[in-house]
Structures are given as C-alpha cells and as structure tokens.
Amino acid sequence: MDGLDIEQTAQVLRTRWPDIRQALLTGRYRPSPVRKVMIPKPDGSQRELGIPTVLDRLIQQALLQVLQPLIDPTFSEHSYGFRPGRRAHDAVKAARRYVQSGKRVVVDVDLSKFFDRVNHDILMNRLSKRIEDAGVLRLIRAYLNAGIMEGGVVVDRHLGTPQGGPLSPLLANVLLDEVDKALEARGHSFARYADDCNVYVGSMAEAPAEGDTAKAVEAFQNDLSGIEGIGSD
C-alpha cells in the first residue's frame, strides 16, 4: 500500500502521469498489493475485502468503463448483481414471479466461497475469449498477481479475486456466468445476485439433486460439464 489519500494521489498524477501512462502502455506497470480488511457478515462470519490504492482504483475504474459495455451484454438474464441497470430489487421481483407461478420450493446454491477460490489461469482463459487486447489482459493479470498486504507482509495469491476493487465484480461475473449458463441448460428457474443463487421448483421431487444443480457448482472444482473456476478445498 502506498499510504496516499485522494489529494496526495492527485498530486502524484500531476507530476508522474506521463511515466505511469507509459508503464501502462508498455506492460511495465505493477499494481500495489491490496490491503486486507475483514468485515462482519449477518451470519456472524467475516468477508474478506482487498482494498486497492487510490491510483489502482482509478486505473481499475477506467478498465471497467471500457470492458463492462463489451462484456456485460453477454451475461445471463438471470444474473442481477453488479450489473448496469440491474439491482437486488430486480432479483426479488424475479423470485416473486417464480413463486407466483407455483415454484414455491427454493434450493440455495452455495457459492459462498467463490471469491476465495477463483483460479487465475482459468479466469484469464475466459477473459481472453472476450477481450482481444493483449495489453489489457496483461494488466488484469498484474492485478490478480499483485498480492495482499496482511499484517505488514505482502502475501502472494494464486487463487481468489479479493472483493473491494472496481474490477472485481465484473471478473467474478465472467466466471459465474458459466454457472448461470449450466443452470439454464438444465432448464432451471433461478435468480443469482453475485454469489447468492436460488433455484425455484414446484416441489421437492423437482428439486435439483446432487447430480444436477449441485453438479453445476461442483464442476467449478472438478471441471465437470466444461465449467471451471473455483479451486478445490
């Protein structure tokens, strides 16, 4: 972490932007490690955040503004989290429609550890199918490899996309879209908001068994049905 606030970063940009720009264009830019922050969740557990420096947040936001209009339209209509023009209320309305249609049994698909298990190589492979610019891919890889600052020590990470940066939700949705497409292929009615996903069925007899919906998630670990992304426990 560089320890700079917004005003200090603005001053750095006024004096060093040509060098930073050149480093970005030539692939020499190296993001700073993110700062690890733990925040409590309603169930008593904690969620890990990785807070980038102000400069890296600015660069990530610039990337997001270019990439999101290109990638977001390819996502499933059942995905509502961190997408332009979509919100949690839309997911609730979709759930209400399913229930009103008679699908009153809800199956929770456990994606709670997704962000900790994202495999960087698999994520980059998925991105390379959507992004042609090698420089952009190289910069995203640099962010994934930046590491995380914990207790004053930088820890390398080969799995996971720490939440907290502007780019993280888009990267997560790139992989989770494959879960969405697998559920769609199996004919399920569902709504997903980030790593919260519910499948709606008419009765327990119709509820997805371990060999069905569970397989769509398990495939992240075992490379089943061509879906990858989450490392094994």
Side-chain angles (χ1 to χ4, degrees):
M1 298 295 294
D2 60 8
L4 302 181
D5 60 22
I6 294 176
E7 291 186 5
Q8 292 169 327
T9 301
Q11 180 61 36
V12 169
L13 287 173
R14 279 192 287 269
T15 58
R16 292 187 49 220
W17 173 244
D19 293 336
I20 295 171
R21 179 178 182 275
Q22 187 63 21
L24 287 167
L25 291 175
T26 59
R28 294 183 292 103
Y29 181 78
R30 293 296 176 264
S32 298
V34 297
R35 177 168 55 90
K36 181 177 179 178
V37 176
M38 303 299 293
I39 60 172
K41 296 173 63 176
D43 62 3
S45 62
Q46 291 187 314
R47 183 184 296 275
E48 178 183 321
L49 297 183
I51 309 300
T53 63
V54 176
L55 174 58
D56 283 322
R57 287 204 298 273
L58 287 170
I59 295 172
Q60 285 195 33
Q61 184 63 39
L63 277 173
L64 180 67
Q65 289 176 200
V66 172
L67 295 178
Q68 193 161 51
L70 300 175
I71 296 176
D72 187 84
T74 68
F75 292 153
S76 167
E77 63 177 307
H78 301 284
S79 168
Y80 298 92
F82 307 109
R83 299 184 60 191
R86 289 176 168 244
R87 51 185 180 148
H89 187 64
D90 297 319
V92 172
K93 289 195 293 186
R96 185 181 296 122
R97 288 194 299 270
Y98 292 140
V99 172
Q100 291 174 344
S101 71
K103 297 178 179 180
R104 301 177 182 275
V105 176
V106 182
V107 180
D108 182 56
V109 180
D110 185 12
L111 298 171
S112 60
K113 297 298 183 182
F114 169 79
F115 293 100
D116 298 330
R117 300 176 182 172
V118 172
N119 182 293
H120 293 174
D121 291 334
I122 293 172
L123 173 57
M124 293 307 303
N125 175 268
R126 297 300 184 268
L127 288 171
S128 68
K129 296 177 181 178
R130 301 170 186 253
I131 302 171
E132 295 182 358
D133 192 306
V136 170
L137 291 170
R138 188 164 52 239
L139 181 57
I140 293 174
R141 168 68 85 168
Y143 275 112
L144 293 174
N145 292 342
I148 188 164
M149 180 74 75
E150 183 176 359
V153 178
V154 177
V155 179
D156 291 335
R157 296 190 65 149
H158 303 289
L159 293 174
T161 57
Q163 301 172 77
L167 202 55
S168 297
L170 179 66
L171 299 183
N173 271 333
V174 166
L175 280 177
L176 286 172
D177 185 61
E178 296 198 20
V179 169
D180 298 339
K181 298 295 171 54
L183 292 173
E184 289 174 355
R186 291 169 170 85
H188 295 310
S189 299
F190 68 98
R192 180 179 64 79
Y193 190 95
D195 58 350
D196 293 318
C197 182
N198 289 331
V199 180
Y200 298 81
V201 295
S203 66
M204 286 304 299
E206 301 174 26
E210 288 189 16
D212 197 351
T213 297
K215 188 174 292 185
V217 180
E218 188 178 311
F220 272 107
Q221 300 169 323
N222 300 323
D223 193 19
L224 300 178
S225 301
I227 309 170
E228 306 169 283
I230 300 178
S232 301
D233 286 326

